[in-house]
Structure formats: C-alpha cells, structure tokens
Amino acid sequence: MSRFDWLSEFLAELEEEHVVVHSGSARALAPAHLLRIDPEDWGKAAAVARNMDLRWAGIWGDEQDNDIVLSALLVNQGDYVVLRTAVLSDNPEIASHTPLYPGANRPERHLHDMLGVRFTDHPDARRWTRHRAWSEDQHPLHHDFPVAGNPPEHTPADADYPFAPIQGSGVYEIPVGPVHAGIIEPGHFRFQAAGEPILRLEERLGYVHKGIEKIAVGRDAEGLARLAGRISGDSTVAHTWATCQAVERACGMRPPERASIIRGLLCERERVANHLGDIGAICNDVGFAFPQMQCQALREQWQRHSAELTGHRLMMDVVIPGGVMINLDETAITGLRDAHVRLRDQARELFDILDDQPSLEDRLLTAGYLSPDTAKALGASGYVGKASGQAIDLRADGLYAPYSRLQFNTALSENGDVAARMGIRQEEVFSSLNLMDEMLDMLEQQSDRIDIFAELPDAPCGEGLGLIDGWRGEIVSYVRLDEEGRVARFFARDPSWFTWPALERIVLGNIVPDFPVCNKSVNGSYSGHDL
Amino acid sequence: MMRILNRIRATGTLTEPAPDLHDPEIEALGREIKTQVDARFAGSLAIREVDAGSCNGCELEIHAVNGPHYDIERFGVHFVASPRHADVLLVTGPVSRHMETALRRTWEATPKPGFVIASGDCACNGGEFGVSYASCGAVENVIPVDIRIPGCPPSPVELMKGILALIGTAKTA
C-alpha cells in the first residue's frame, strides 16, 4: 500500500458534498497534506472524514492579521491531513466537529477559552481550560492580550463550575482534588456513585495550566525546545523531539542521521522507564507491593544509566533544534548493549511472576474496560488505544527517522481492560529493547565522529508539524516561525487529550476503590493536557 | 510464591547509605534550621507533597526518594495523604493561578508551625514559566517558604539533602 492512496477518494467525496478545496499542498506541512477549505464547509468536511473512518487528532487556531486561521488534523492509515480555514477574528464562528468526533469536545473548548472561537453546534458550552484567572470575554492567545494578563490579586477557586447533576435514591457525590492524596498532579474528579459502583465520573482539569502556548511566542528555537521539554516531564524527550522536528521542518532542514538515531534511542529509553514505573504502580494500586519495589529498582538503575549517558536522569534538554547534545561512543554503546541484556532478563523473570499470580489476575482482568468502539470514537492512541484494538503507532508508520529504517510490529489487544493495558506495556518494554539494539547496530555502522548537530538556517521562517510516538502515544507539535525566526505560534497536543475522556468511560460500573488502578492504567498527563 | 521469595532474596537490600552532607551550602542550611527543627519534630517528619503546577518531572524524582534505593522513610520521613497530618509541605511547580487558592487552602490546613519546602527551579524562582497571566511564579509569591531545593528536577539525592538538612537528623557531617 502506498502513501495517501486514499486521498483521491477523500477529495472526490468532498467534491461530492460540494466542499471546495481551494488549494492543496503536500509540502507546506509535510508529511501531512494541507487542504484549504471555506469556513462554511468545516462541518461538512468533517462529516466526509467521519464517513471514511478518518481519525480526528487535534485542532489549533492562530491569529493572523484580522483572521483566526484554524487547522484540524485528520489521520488515515498513518497518513495525515490538515484541514485549514480562516474565520474573522471579530466574529470567529465555525461548526463544531464534536457531534461527529467526541474526542474533539475538550480541544474545541480549549480553543474557545484561549482564542474565542465559538463552535456553533458544540454540545457542551462550558469552559474547559479557563478557571477564574481571566474572564469569559478575554482570550489569552489574542495578540492584544498581554503575557502578564490582568489576573485578580488572588485567583479564586473555580468553585461554581457547573458539573452535570445526577439524582436518585441513594446516589451520592464524591469530590476529589485538585490536591490528591498521593504524589501526583492536581486535577478534580467528581464521582457520582450508588453504593460502591461508579455511576458517573466527570473530570475537571486545567489546574496546571501554565500558559505554555502564550509564553512560547517570541522565543527562539532553543528556548522553545527547553519549554517543550517541560510540557510533561515524564515525556520530556518525546515532546522536545516533536517540537524540534516541527522547527526543523519549518526551516526546511533535517538533523544529521546520527542525531535521529540517538533521539530514537533516548525516546525508547523514556518509554521503558515509564512503562516499568507504571507496571509497578498498577500492581501497587491493588495492594501488591513486591512488583512495585522491583520495578522501582529497575527504573532507578535505568535512570542512573541515562544520567551517565546524557548528564540528566530524565534526559531533559538533550534533544535540541538541529540535533542532539550528546554523542555515543563505542564504550557507551557496549554499556547499553549490556544493560539491554540485563533488563531483558530481569523483566522477563519479573513479568513471568506477574503472569502467574491468580490474585493479581483477579483484580486486573475485566477491570476498567474500554471498548474498541469507544477507543476509536475518542481517537485514543498509545497503550490505551492498543489495548482496545487501535493499532496507532507512528513508529510502525515509518514517518520519521530512525524508525523509517526499522521493522516494527505494534503490540495489540482487543481485551480493553487494565490487564490488557498493562500487558501492552510489558510487550513494549521488550520491543523497545529490540528497537534500541537495532539502533545501536545503526550507530556502530557509522563513525562516531559523524555530526550530531546541524545549524538551523539564519532567520528561518515558515511552519512545521512534528509527529512523534511518545510512550503515551501520538504527540503532535505545531510551530510557526516569524521572519526573524522567532516563534509566532506553538501548539503541542499530548495524547492525554483523548485518554482522559476514555478514563471517564473506563471507570463506569467499577467500584470507587478501583479508581486508582483504573487511573494508573491510563496515566494521563495533567500538565501535558493543561498546557 | 517461592519465586517471589527467591527474587526478593536475590535482589537483597538495594538501599544505599545516607548522602554525605559535606556540601558546605547544605551544611550552612542545616545549621541554620537544625536547632529549631530538632526541638519541634523530634527527628521525625511528615511531608505532604503538593504539585502546584509542575510539569511532573519533580514528582518522578520524589517518587524515587520513596523507592528501594533511597528509602527516605528509614530516616523517619513519611509522605502523608493529608496536609492535616503534615509538618512540612513539599511544593513543586511554579504556582499556576488555577492552583493558587488550592495551595493557600492546603497551607491553611497544615498545623502550625508548618514548614514549606519549595522543590525544583520552578518552585524556587518560577523556572521556565516565570510569572504570567497563568502562573504566579515562585511558591514564595503565594505562601511563605522556609527552604529551597533547586534543580530541574532536583535529583533524589538533592531532595534528600534538602529534607535531611531540614530535619537535621543526618549526623554523618
């Protein structure tokens, strides 16, 4: 099957629906195809996409002169299309994609809060990212909104957020958060329960909104990469890579091949570290402390090795625009090979024990079920999608180096429960180890004096799209640079945007005390979502 | 079951000795607060961690402090589930405006005298995020701070040095 062989059918279907595509470009946002359409066709185009089973993967807006330029990302078979249109900034109104794609619900509300775009037939008119730090008629991403804003002296709690009410005999609510009982990020969960089973869960996020899209504006490429490395600390490599890839594409340059291989290696290291930590934590959430301690120990050894290689335990700021900060010499490569062999043995022994524990099975099997249909409707990627039959893995699509040269099979299950999500992560530990070994082979075939960094051109200008498979799933990063090479617009879409709503479905019918293990099996990023 | 026991036996004790407090900066810090903390906490400390806006990098390292290699609990340092049980708030992140009131309320719920540790560059000085429409910046812009642990994020050893300096139990120096 060749790339984009479905695109002509999509264009024909659009024409059938009288959607005029004004211009198309395979290059402007490569590897995505850019299609410009009229704002009144925005909803119809999404309906065509929905009929053809395209996945909806995000939306962002960009104030330019008197317009707000809107871009929506759609995916089919690993090929990306950006639908683009423009609405007037003094009356930014457009059809919502949410009635067709439930995953669009919060991203559109985010865009409304940040840029004032009104989605006319959106089923949920409530604020999302906005709490009480700015008012309803203010929109932080407008150019005339100052970075400092004009917040109240003390920002009050968002106490009057209208949660959907529920009534019935014996039905009660449990409000949890934003400050949680463990060492975790803040967010609010509103449980509605009768007895032990959860009838409904409503999430309220946005507590760690740090204005990332706003404070990115005006930064140079290096400053943007540092910021991207702090969108979600547990995904620092993946987010920085996606952003650097977007910057490099905007500049029309590529990093040296060796840099791409090292980036791949670091990104897989990040995946392994997080999978190990979460496998242990899932077991701990059902009262099984042994795997938690074992996994924490493995993770600690792994992170110490990362610090030896890169000078940072989480490998922050190692990926930079144009390449990477560190090279790997022969000694480092040998050390990595040994570590891979060791971890493979240790993980196999540990996972065998886990697979052989009926009491663990009893707690994880059938708990927290997400149906393949719901996962698909929401567009959940990563292990949440894979455990519910969604084979979304950008590494397998060969869209970017070094994966374009590697064979890779996506772990997949239809079971959709906590056990399946943990199983996918166990499989991915091994597949990452195999991928890393292959990357070491690639490095060894080169001289280690080969460049790991290429200069960006002076005052690059343009836009670029970064697409990286992080350990949580698909990361999208959009960057537009102005004439001086400074950031004019930055948007990062963490995979958590689509797995957080999945959690609301996952917990239904489960007992309240199983919420922690359900939540941990999804492990959405609060910071990556709240921006 | 035997396999679990065998694995535990084969793993042995991974826990490492307490970090050396010869770092002059930490020593000075320790001297400054040792006397009063010894008197107030009798060498035992309950910590409530509050993420007030961090990127979650700090949380990963705080988790590690509780893991088998560092095991901070052996020094009497215990992470608790409620600020009402806490002697100390360990606060991470620039304080997002959306967390400002939650942090204040958590601070008010902490029995006095409650100590506050600002953990990580963002908590110390706003870090990469600074002060903006969305961020109050450093923790001290919202609640009083007693001690700062810089780093992005501070490593487990740096965290332990900071916390041990606060309780002044490390007698190795």
Side-chain angles (χ1 to χ4, degrees), chain A residues 114 129-134 140 145-149 151-157 178-186 206-212 214-215 219 223 226-227 230-234 274 288 290 293-294 296-297 299-301 303-304 312-314 316 349 352-353 356-357 472 525 527, chain B residues 1 3-8 10-11 14 16 48-70 79-83 93-94 96-106 122 127-136 141-142 152-157:
Chain A
M114 299 302 290
T129 303
R130 182 173 70 83
H131 288 201
R132 304 277 296 274
W134 68 94
F145 184 97
V147 175
E153 194 189 339
H154 294 314
T155 302
V179 179
H180 294 157
I183 300 168
I184 31 176
E185 299 179 80
Y207 286 92
V208 286
H209 176 66
K210 293 183 278 287
I212 286 173
K214 185 75 176 180
I215 62 174
R219 287 186 178 225
R226 267 199 318 279
L227 184 63
R230 287 153 184 83
I231 289 172
S232 183
D234 53 20
N274 283 292
F288 192 14
F290 160 79
M293 288 298 134
Q294 293 286 328
Q296 274 193 316
R299 181 184 181 140
E300 177 64 23
Q301 288 157 8
Q303 286 192 189
R304 288 180 180 191
H312 196 286
R313 286 165 51 89
L314 305 178
M316 265 180 182
E349 185 188 352
D352 275 354
I353 293 176
D356 197 24
Q357 295 297 312
R472 273 198 186 89
S525 169
S527 184
Chain B
M1 195 62 211
R3 284 203 292 169
I4 294 182
L5 294 175
N6 281 334
R7 182 68 249 161
I8 290 171
T11 306
L14 299 173
E16 295 167 342
R48 169 66 252 190
E49 198 265 351
V50 184
D51 174 342
S54 101
C55 74
N56 78 31
C58 283
E59 280 60 41
L60 290 175
E61 296 296 54
I62 295 169
H63 268 293
V65 165
N66 286 295
H69 282 83
Y70 304 99
F79 281 77
V80 295
S82 167
S96 72
R97 300 213 181 259
H98 293 173
M99 277 300 287
E100 185 186 344
T101 295
L103 178 62
R104 266 183 224 286
R105 287 180 183 170
T106 305
C122 294
E128 201 61 36
F129 302 97
V131 176
S132 74
Y133 79 94
S135 166
C136 305
N141 295 344
V142 179
C152 186
S155 69
V157 172

Side-chain angles (χ1 to χ4, degrees), chain A residues 126 161-166 173 190 192 200 202:
Chain A
R126 292 175 297 171
Y161 181 77
F163 288 97
I166 191 168
E173 282 198 346
R190 185 64 59 97
Q192 292 160 336
R200 218 173 147 275
E202 193 171 338

Side-chain angles (χ1 to χ4, degrees), chain B residues 69-145:
Chain B
H69 282 83
Y70 304 99
D71 187 23
I72 197 167
E73 209 165 323
R74 70 194 143 129
F75 303 117
V77 177
H78 186 53
F79 281 77
V80 295
S82 167
R84 299 192 195 282
H85 306 157
D87 303 311
V88 171
L89 294 184
L90 180 69
V91 187
T92 65
V95 182
S96 72
R97 300 213 181 259
H98 293 173
M99 277 300 287
E100 185 186 344
T101 295
L103 178 62
R104 266 183 224 286
R105 287 180 183 170
T106 305
W107 166 237
E108 282 156 17
T110 310
K112 301 293 171 290
F115 279 79
V116 175
I117 305 176
S119 185
D121 287 348
C122 294
C124 293
N125 59 30
E128 201 61 36
F129 302 97
V131 176
S132 74
Y133 79 94
S135 166
C136 305
V139 173
E140 67 180 24
N141 295 344
V142 179
I143 56 173
V145 168

Side-chain angles (χ1 to χ4, degrees), chain A residues 106-246:
Chain A
R106 292 170 183 177
E108 286 184 343
R109 286 159 68 192
H110 172 75
L111 188 51
H112 173 261
D113 290 349
M114 299 302 290
L115 210 45
V117 179
R118 283 188 303 281
F119 292 91
T120 47
D121 48 348
H122 197 293
D124 189 345
R126 292 175 297 171
R127 59 187 177 273
W128 181 245
T129 303
R130 182 173 70 83
H131 288 201
R132 304 277 296 274
W134 68 94
S135 66
E136 195 176 356
D137 54 359
Q138 294 178 318
H139 304 287
L141 289 181
H142 279 164
H143 294 316
D144 58 9
F145 184 97
V147 175
N150 41 20
E153 194 189 339
H154 294 314
T155 302
D158 192 26
D160 59 350
Y161 181 77
F163 288 97
I166 191 168
Q167 284 182 328
S169 167
V171 175
Y172 62 97
E173 282 198 346
I174 314 170
V176 178
V179 179
H180 294 157
I183 300 168
I184 31 176
E185 299 179 80
H188 182 90
F189 300 115
R190 185 64 59 97
F191 295 95
Q192 292 160 336
E196 282 195 304
I198 299 168
L199 297 176
R200 218 173 147 275
L201 163 64
E202 193 171 338
E203 296 156 356
R204 176 79 182 116
L205 302 178
Y207 286 92
V208 286
H209 176 66
K210 293 183 278 287
I212 286 173
E213 292 170 273
K214 185 75 176 180
I215 62 174
V217 174
R219 287 186 178 225
D220 60 11
E222 286 73 25
L224 179 66
R226 267 199 318 279
L227 184 63
R230 287 153 184 83
I231 289 172
S232 183
D234 53 20
S235 306
T236 177
V237 174
H239 267 289
T240 311
W241 189 1
T243 297
C244 288
Q245 196 186 52

